[in-house]
Amino acid sequence: MSRDSKTSLEAGLAAVKSEDWKTAKTILETVAMDDNPQRAVQAQIGLVVVYAKTGDIAGAMTLSEILAQSNNPEIQEWANRSLEELLKRNRTDINARIEEDGTGFVPFEDFNDSKPNINETIITPDNTPNHDNHEHSSSIVPVKINKLPTIHWRRSGRAKTWQEKKLDLIPLRLLTAGSFVALFWVVRIIIVFITSTINNTLVWLPFLEPIQLLYQDPTTFLLVLFFLLIATSPWLLDKLLSSLYGIQSLETTVLEMHSQEALRILKRFNTQRRGNIKIKLLPIAAPIAFTYGHLPSMSRIVMSQGLLQQLTDDEIAAMLALQLGHVAHWDASVMSLVLLVTIPIYKLYQLVSTWGDRVNITFVSYIYIAISSLIYGVWCLCTGCVIALSQVRLYYADLFATNFTGNPNGITRALLKISNGIANDIQKQEQTNWRLESLNISLPVGFKQSITLGSLAPHVTFESLLMWDYLNPYRYWLTVNNTHPMLGDRIQRLLAIVGKWRLDRELDIDNTNAIKVRKQIFGLQIAPFLGIPTGLAFALLIGVVWQTLYALKILNLKWIYDDWGFAAGCIAIGFSIGTLIRINAYFPELKSTSIQTNEHLPALLTNPAAIGIDSHGVKLHGKILGRRGVSNSLGQDLILQTTSALIKMHHVSFGQPVNPQDFIGRQVTVTGWLRRDATPWLDIQSVRTQTGKTINSTHPIWATVVAVAFQAWGAYILLKG
């Protein structure tokens, strides 16, 4: 460990001894994120004391619960004793106790004696995790509790009596079944491709024979496997999430410390549904929650430490009720299957990327980049099978939570705070936490939609930020590939219920009619995709005309297009023409007189009539955030942090020795096209560093290359016949 790191820990513990709680909290929360588990645990022990002394009993209990999961007996004993003291004091009026005796939790003069001897008992050659996998070991995962930006909340009330809205679950049931089928066939296609490739390779190689088993149809085996995975998903995901994500059991006493209402809701649901739902704790600072399992008696709800720390009593209860909705509606069963399929794939992508980062040979590094990118693509493909279910099920869960709690305002605040907390976590870590990305499909709010929304919230009203989500007439078309529904659309529906119940609204959002956007602009944006049905229609026309001319014996060339394979060529040409039509409008010339700068960013991002092709030329100053190395070779985690917001960036760097990933963590000036869709993003034209080095993006060039390639392919098919 470095001298500076040691000094920081010593300074934090010294501040605890001197009862300088503010300084101790600031220092120790930073040290608790350290990669060295020895120092992280020492910092967390100190934080338990600080939280207890400053009245944050819930925070002290949460950390004590985490420490109690340690394999070290001295740590377990100390943490359990801490929990007993905290629970004892919670049975009476906590605030009065704090004023009376300062909690009496751990005498500060005895702090060094009462805490376990970390240097002697925790770090040994047998149980010290290495740098590469310490996050996934059984040791304590350090967590830093981030503070959200200051945002004013109205704290609008809830209904005392209400009439529950009936839900038609048939569409959700059909979509759940369809998502299962889609995932099944995609995985089957992948398996067939892999087995065929292996056998073809063995046939091609000398002295080797293909494996006959790989020629078998995997349909029956895969179907049986999928049903077995669903049946055993609670226990399989318990093991998987425990080993890879560090989830731990969350005792009901600790949940009650954070939200008494949540515990009441859980007990009521278990009574009504004959359930036995277990609550798990995910020790990360981002406020998230998700559900896995199938039957109410065999389901688990995972809550992150950040969610328990950043949300209030009724908001935690609202998120718990939302997760209970997934159990009640049975969509959690298919989502559990998705997690069982996608988490190992994502982990493999992580491992290959890590191996690639250790290679210093350029050629070998490119191989790792290609393999990791391919695995990441497979992960995206499997996740994409349930995008429709992921969107629709959240609307149903919102309504279930509203019916169960009578608190649509609380659900609204919870969703917005989760978005803010995720954006705050990305800014603090200066990259997207891999847990967020790998679990994103199962979360109540997507991390991509939170990047800009959550970071811009302190600078712009929520009403302005969310207008695009419920006013843009093409919002549903432009979000077909989003993993989550638009947050503004969900909140508008919740606040419509608030209006019917005649409660004060958390936000001033009304059932306003959608604004008008020129159809020509939207048509131009989707021109490449319109080219596909247009090409197919043209192929049908050619086929009909050709068959007619042959039947009338005007032409005797039926053999040319007799198999209708030429339709693929027409589709390729249609896509190519649509792409070429869109390029000039999509990447207009950036004139210096019309380029917007940082101060214009909030106004540009709150225009409800904007769509992607209606871009704005911008020159923004900020810091590039994102993962480093092979894991970000596709630029999937490339974010510009400005003074007012985080902006997702898109960049094409094929054929260039340097790309923006090389400047992660540095201040830059980015020129490009700012686009406002469901997820705002910035298409890069150039990136300039403070030292004057400039990188130009080749996005328009490669778009043209792709269009020409499709046109050539289509022409070849037509000419070949």
Side-chain angles (χ1 to χ4, degrees):
M1 71 183 75
S2 67
R3 176 182 291 273
D4 291 340
S5 300
K6 287 183 178 179
T7 304
S8 297
L9 177 60
E10 292 171 357
L13 297 179
V16 172
K17 287 180 126 182
S18 62
E19 301 186 11
D20 185 357
W21 312 128
K22 184 177 180 180
T23 301
K25 184 172 182 288
T26 301
I27 296 174
L28 293 177
E29 283 184 344
T30 301
V31 179
M33 291 291 292
D34 195 271
D35 288 341
N36 188 305
Q38 175 187 5
R39 291 171 43 254
V41 171
Q42 286 180 298
Q44 286 189 320
I45 291 172
L47 280 174
V48 171
V49 179
V50 173
Y51 287 157
K53 282 293 187 180
T54 55
D56 187 2
I57 305 300
M61 288 194 68
T62 302
L63 279 180
S64 297
E65 183 73 18
I66 293 175
L67 290 167
Q69 304 291 327
S70 172
N71 290 333
N72 185 277
E74 290 193 30
I75 293 291
Q76 288 182 2
E77 181 184 355
W78 186 88
N80 289 328
R81 182 156 45 87
S82 302
L83 284 170
E84 289 177 5
E85 291 291 333
L86 290 165
L87 286 171
K88 187 186 301 181
R89 297 185 182 283
N90 189 50
R91 294 191 183 102
T92 57
D93 186 348
I94 296 175
N95 291 329
R97 288 275 183 168
I98 293 172
E99 293 178 1
E100 179 180 344
D101 61 12
T103 77
F105 171 54
V106 178
F108 286 96
E109 61 272 16
D110 298 330
F111 174 69
N112 286 332
D113 296 332
S114 62
K115 71 181 180 72
N117 189 333
I118 307 294
N119 292 326
E120 294 180 4
T121 62
I122 294 183
I123 304 301
T124 67
D126 294 332
N127 61 19
T128 303
N130 60 45
H131 177 75
D132 295 325
N133 61 11
H134 75 273
E135 287 185 300
H136 318 311
S137 68
S138 59
S139 62
I140 300 300
V141 180
V143 176
K144 180 178 180 180
I145 306 303
N146 297 327
K147 289 186 177 180
L148 291 176
T150 303
I151 298 175
H152 172 70
W153 303 99
R154 295 181 183 178
R155 301 288 306 165
S156 297
R158 61 196 299 170
K160 295 182 180 179
T161 59
W162 65 92
Q163 184 177 2
E164 295 186 2
K165 184 176 180 179
K166 294 184 179 179
L167 302 178
D168 180 11
L169 295 176
I170 294 178
L172 181 62
R173 297 273 197 267
L174 294 175
L175 188 56
T176 302
S179 299
F180 173 87
V181 173
L183 180 64
F184 170 79
W185 283 108
V186 166
V187 174
R188 181 187 178 279
I189 290 171
I190 293 172
I191 291 175
V192 170
F193 174 79
I194 293 174
T195 55
S196 299
T197 302
I198 292 173
N199 270 349
N200 290 337
T201 303
L202 293 175
V203 169
W204 178 74
L205 292 172
F207 311 113
L208 294 177
E209 294 292 334
I211 303 173
Q212 296 302 315
L213 180 63
L214 298 183
Y215 285 123
Q216 300 296 319
D217 186 350
T219 301
T220 303
F221 168 77
L222 186 61
L223 189 62
V224 172
L225 177 63
F226 268 27
F227 280 114
L228 285 175
L229 288 177
I230 290 177
T232 58
S233 61
W235 302 279
L236 292 178
L237 283 170
D238 281 346
K239 295 293 185 182
L240 190 64
L241 294 173
S242 176
S243 60
L244 299 182
Y245 295 76
I247 68 163
Q248 305 150 2
S249 296
L250 181 66
E251 299 297 331
T252 55
T253 51
V254 179
L255 176 63
E256 186 179 18
M257 285 295 302
H258 292 280
S259 174
Q260 294 181 1
E261 183 186 351
L263 186 59
R264 291 196 300 269
I265 286 175
L266 181 63
K267 290 180 178 178
R268 178 154 60 98
F269 182 88
N270 283 335
T271 301
Q272 292 177 358
R273 307 272 178 161
R274 297 181 180 179
N276 183 28
I277 294 176
K278 297 179 181 178
I279 307 297
K280 301 285 186 176
L281 176 68
L282 178 64
I284 66 172
I288 62 174
F290 62 96
T291 305
Y292 63 92
H294 38 78
L295 298 174
S297 59
M298 298 179 183
S299 295
R300 288 88 161 102
I301 294 177
V302 180
M303 293 184 170
S304 71
Q305 185 178 339
L307 185 135
L308 296 177
Q309 292 288 107
Q310 297 174 19
L311 271 60
T312 61
D313 183 308
D314 65 319
E315 294 159 4
I316 294 172
M319 278 300 99
L320 177 66
L322 192 144
Q323 298 306 315
L324 292 174
H326 298 315
V327 178
H329 299 156
W330 292 80
D331 55 85
S333 58
V334 171
M335 297 306 293
S336 299
L337 175 63
V338 172
L339 291 178
L340 284 172
V341 172
T342 58
I343 287 177
I345 296 174
Y346 192 92
K347 180 60 180 177
L348 180 60
Y349 150 73
Q350 261 194 307
L351 288 174
V352 174
S353 299
T354 302
W355 296 336
D357 290 335
R358 298 172 180 170
V359 174
N360 296 322
I361 303 173
T362 304
F363 174 73
V364 178
S365 179
Y366 284 143
I367 295 176
Y368 278 109
I369 289 174
I371 295 175
S372 67
S373 299
L374 178 62
I375 297 172
Y376 186 81
V378 171
W379 175 80
C380 291
L381 183 62
C382 293
T383 303
C385 294
V386 293
I387 278 181
L389 176 61
S390 177
Q391 290 190 15
V392 173
R393 77 186 194 120
L394 288 172
Y395 288 116
Y396 280 89
D398 290 343
L399 288 176
F400 178 89
T402 300
N403 287 340
F404 212 74
T405 64
N407 190 15
N409 279 319
I411 301 171
T412 296
R413 287 193 302 273
L415 293 174
L416 293 173
K417 286 187 177 181
I418 288 174
S419 178
N420 297 338
I422 290 175
N424 187 52
D425 182 68
I426 291 173
Q427 291 190 80
K428 291 287 186 181
Q429 295 198 33
E430 298 191 354
Q431 64 179 9
T432 302
N433 190 317
W434 67 269
R435 295 177 180 87
L436 284 179
E437 184 173 47
S438 60
L439 297 172
N440 182 61
I441 195 70
S442 61
L443 303 184
V445 179
F447 80 92
K448 287 186 179 179
Q449 66 183 166
S450 301
I451 288 175
T452 299
L453 173 64
S455 60
L456 194 58
H459 308 281
V460 181
T461 63
F462 280 117
E463 288 84 351
S464 299
L465 281 173
L466 299 173
M467 280 195 300
W468 193 98
D469 294 2
Y470 65 91
L471 288 179
N472 194 288
Y474 301 113
R475 58 192 183 276
Y476 296 113
W477 291 99
L478 297 173
T479 56
V480 293
N481 62 339
N482 279 33
T483 55
H484 291 71
M486 293 157 291
L487 196 56
D489 189 40
R490 294 172 65 185
I491 289 175
Q492 186 201 31
R493 298 180 187 214
L494 289 168
L495 295 181
I497 299 174
V498 173
K500 290 180 180 179
W501 290 353
R502 298 188 178 183
L503 302 171
D504 292 333
R505 302 187 182 198
E506 187 66 30
L507 301 177
D508 295 323
I509 292 179
D510 298 319
N511 293 323
T512 310
N513 293 328
I515 59 178
K516 293 183 178 180
V517 178
R518 286 186 299 164
K519 293 182 179 179
Q520 296 87 340
I521 295 294
F522 177 68
L524 194 58
Q525 168 146 340
I526 63 173
F529 307 101
L530 288 177
I532 295 174
T534 302
L536 181 60
F538 184 68
L540 292 173
L541 178 61
I542 291 178
V544 171
V545 171
W546 205 271
Q547 295 287 344
T548 302
L549 293 176
Y550 176 79
L552 296 175
K553 298 183 178 180
I554 296 175
L555 288 175
N556 190 22
L557 297 174
K558 184 184 177 184
W559 59 270
I560 296 180
Y561 297 129
D562 196 33
D563 63 353
W564 288 88
F566 69 93
C570 293
I571 293 174
I573 292 176
F575 176 79
S576 171
I577 293 174
T579 302
L580 291 172
I581 290 174
R582 190 179 73 165
I583 285 177
N584 287 336
Y586 209 69
F587 299 101
E589 182 182 357
L590 297 179
K591 299 179 180 179
S592 58
T593 55
S594 61
I595 287 182
Q596 309 290 321
T597 52
N598 285 50
E599 58 268 20
H600 303 108
L601 192 55
L604 297 177
L605 293 172
T606 54
N607 179 11
I611 59 177
I613 199 168
D614 188 22
S615 62
H616 295 276
V618 295
K619 179 181 285 187
L620 303 177
H621 305 282
K623 182 180 181 180
I624 296 183
L625 309 182
R627 293 192 293 267
R628 291 177 168 84
V630 174
S631 64
N632 200 14
S633 55
L634 295 176
Q636 57 266 51
D637 188 32
L638 204 58
I639 302 169
L640 181 68
Q641 181 185 34
T642 69
T643 54
S644 57
L646 299 177
I647 305 293
K648 187 80 173 170
M649 293 193 296
H650 293 176
H651 175 72
V652 177
S653 58
F654 296 129
Q656 297 189 68
V658 182
N659 57 64
Q661 288 93 310
D662 298 323
F663 298 139
I664 287 175
R666 296 173 60 178
Q667 295 290 330
V668 296
T669 299
V670 182
T671 303
W673 299 270
L674 182 68
R675 308 189 192 279
R676 179 62 169 99
D677 265 354
T679 302
W681 81 92
L682 176 63
D683 275 328
I684 297 174
Q685 185 198 54
S686 65
V687 178
R688 184 179 179 85
T689 66
Q690 291 178 319
T691 59
K693 190 167 187 176
T694 302
I695 302 172
N696 294 315
S697 177
T698 55
H699 201 151
I701 296 174
W702 279 102
T704 304
V705 169
V706 170
V708 172
F710 269 92
Q711 197 165 57
W713 179 48
Y716 171 76
I717 293 175
L718 290 177
L719 293 175
K720 183 181 177 182

